[in-house]
Every structure is written in C-alpha cells, then in structure tokens.
Amino acid sequence: QKEVEQDPGPLSVPEGAIVSLNCTYSNSAFQYFMWYRQYSRKGPELLMYTYSSGNKEDGRFTAQVDKSSKYISLFIRDSQPSDSATYLCAMSGSRGGSNYKLTFGKGTLLTVNP
Amino acid sequence: GAGVSQSPRYKVAKRGQDVALRCDPISGHVSLFWYQQALGQGPEFLTYFQNEAQLDKSGLPSDRFFAERPEGSVSTLKIQRTQQEDSAVYLCASSHDRGAGYTFGSGTRLTVV
C-alpha cells in the first residue's frame, strides 16, 4: 500500500460544476498538506497549503483536512475550462524533521467541458 | 529570473550514455530539490540541498545518480550509464526556506532508447 492514495480519474465535469478531489494517507506523521495543479508538460504549481486539520478557502478553492480519518479534499466551485489539469495532493512530516520531503499522490486528471 | 529554469527541456539518450540536467533556482532560494516523475505518477523525491550542502540524497535510486550544487545556486543532476527505467520527467524545485511551499520548474523529459 502506498503512503498516499489518490484516484487517478479521469474526471470530466461540465463548466460551473463543483469538483471534489480527495486523497487518503497512511502515515500519521504527516502534518502539512498541499494541493498542486499540473498542466500538461509543465511543473506542479502550488494551489493550497494547510497545516493539520481544518478548512482553508482561497477564492473558488477550498481545502479540507481530516487527520482523524487521514483524508484530505480539494473542492473547486464554479469550475472553469482553465481548471482542466492534473491535481496532485502532497504531504510532508513535522517541522524539525523531514518536512521538506513531499510525498505525492498519483494525481487526478480533471477536464472541465465548456 | 522569475521562476525555476531547467535545461534541456527534452533529452533523448541512448542506453548507457551519461546525461547532465541543469537547474537554475529562483535567486536567493536556499533550498533546492530534485524529483522524478514517471508517466502517470506523482513526483518522487530524489535529493535536497540547503545552499551547497546536500542534506538528503535518500531518494536517489542508484549510485548512477549524482547531484551537485557547488556554489549554492545552480544545480546539476547527473545520471551515468542511463537505463530505460530512467526515462521520466526530472523536476527541480526551490524554496526560500525548508518549508514545503516549493516553486517547481517545468522539468526535463528524459527518454532513454
């Protein structure tokens, strides 16, 4: 079993839909949780960064972390065709330790159809 | 520059050939990372530098992989005697501290034939 599991999709939604992406993990040492967006033939771009459990909102994006269930989610409201990309979850351990080393999920390929 | 720059963007190598991949991080970023991304997979950690010091090389898959950052800015990832399983995108990232808010480059796509 991999440390981070993510359904690779693909996921196809109409423009304006609410998109839900999620990851599960097994390592209870993870404290920092991130979502990256990766367009084709580009590097990952940091979207959201959260510490421990809770919610964080930034524009149309909301990240949720539930450490008790080892489950993280990213919600995209009013999805746009420009949101079409691969979404990668990533996580790292506690500060003072190897918090610099990210463990990624496989990524979910999202297509938003106009 | 404004972002992390990697060169070449694409590299085709014959099996057994040595390759060198370059990374130019964001100016002033002390932390530099290399990741390997196989097709359809998420990036996997290879190595980490803080300035010129290589503090973690636990992800390097074999002793054919070698990374350096001699002056604490530009870094080179070298792969000796390339094998087909080395085919992947090699991503470089930099950060102003040890935190996980990296900025990634666009990567070098290596194909070993």
Side-chain angles (χ1 to χ4, degrees):
Chain A
Q1 184 192 9
K2 299 199 79 167
E3 277 191 295
V4 179
E5 298 282 356
Q6 183 176 10
D7 186 340
L11 183 61
S12 181
V13 301
E15 183 174 354
I18 296 174
V19 176
S20 172
L21 305 166
N22 52 73
C23 291
T24 58
Y25 64 95
S26 57
N27 187 345
S28 57
F30 289 142
Q31 298 281 347
Y32 296 88
F33 304 92
M34 287 135 276
W35 286 94
Y36 282 84
R37 177 174 63 195
Q38 187 173 27
Y39 291 115
S40 182
R41 302 194 181 273
K42 296 288 188 182
E45 169 195 10
L46 182 65
L47 275 179
M48 301 288 283
Y49 179 109
T50 53
Y51 170 69
S52 200
S53 285
N55 292 2
K56 185 174 183 179
E57 189 172 319
D58 184 1
R60 297 185 294 111
F61 298 91
T62 299
Q64 289 185 349
V65 174
D66 182 348
K67 289 194 70 182
S68 62
S69 302
K70 296 189 176 67
Y71 186 89
I72 70 170
S73 301
L74 177 71
F75 297 94
I76 307 173
R77 290 183 298 281
D78 187 25
S79 56
Q80 303 295 309
S82 58
D83 295 329
S84 299
T86 295
Y87 289 80
L88 297 153
C89 63
M91 38 201 89
S92 65
S94 54
R95 281 204 180 274
S98 59
N99 64 302
Y100 54 81
K101 187 185 303 187
L102 298 185
T103 302
F104 284 86
K106 290 179 71 168
T108 299
L109 178 62
L110 170 68
T111 301
V112 180
N113 300 299
Chain B
V4 177
S5 178
Q6 291 189 247
S7 61
R9 285 297 315 276
Y10 303 93
K11 176 70 178 177
V12 178
K14 291 185 178 178
R15 189 162 58 94
Q17 187 178 355
D18 296 349
V19 298
L21 313 180
R22 177 189 169 105
C23 173
D24 222 315
I26 292 173
S27 178
H29 277 191
V30 299
S31 296
L32 185 145
F33 313 85
W34 285 96
Y35 281 75
Q36 180 190 59
Q37 186 173 23
L39 188 65
Q41 303 294 317
E44 293 200 354
F45 173 82
L46 292 177
T47 188
Y48 161 58
F49 288 86
Q50 187 171 5
N51 295 306
E52 69 278 3
Q54 189 176 21
L55 299 185
D56 188 340
K57 54 182 181 179
S58 62
L60 296 176
S62 77
D63 58 8
R64 297 185 295 103
F65 287 71
F66 173 75
E68 60 183 7
R69 193 186 185 196
E71 296 176 359
S73 56
V74 171
S75 177
T76 304
L77 177 67
K78 297 179 179 177
I79 309 173
Q80 296 177 325
R81 305 181 304 281
T82 52
Q83 304 294 314
Q84 280 193 311
E85 62 263 28
D86 300 336
S87 295
V89 175
Y90 290 86
L91 294 163
C92 177
S94 70
S95 172
H96 62 87
D97 62 18
R98 274 165 44 118
Y102 299 1
T103 301
F104 279 91
S106 292
T108 294
R109 182 177 297 271
L110 173 65
T111 303
V112 181
V113 298

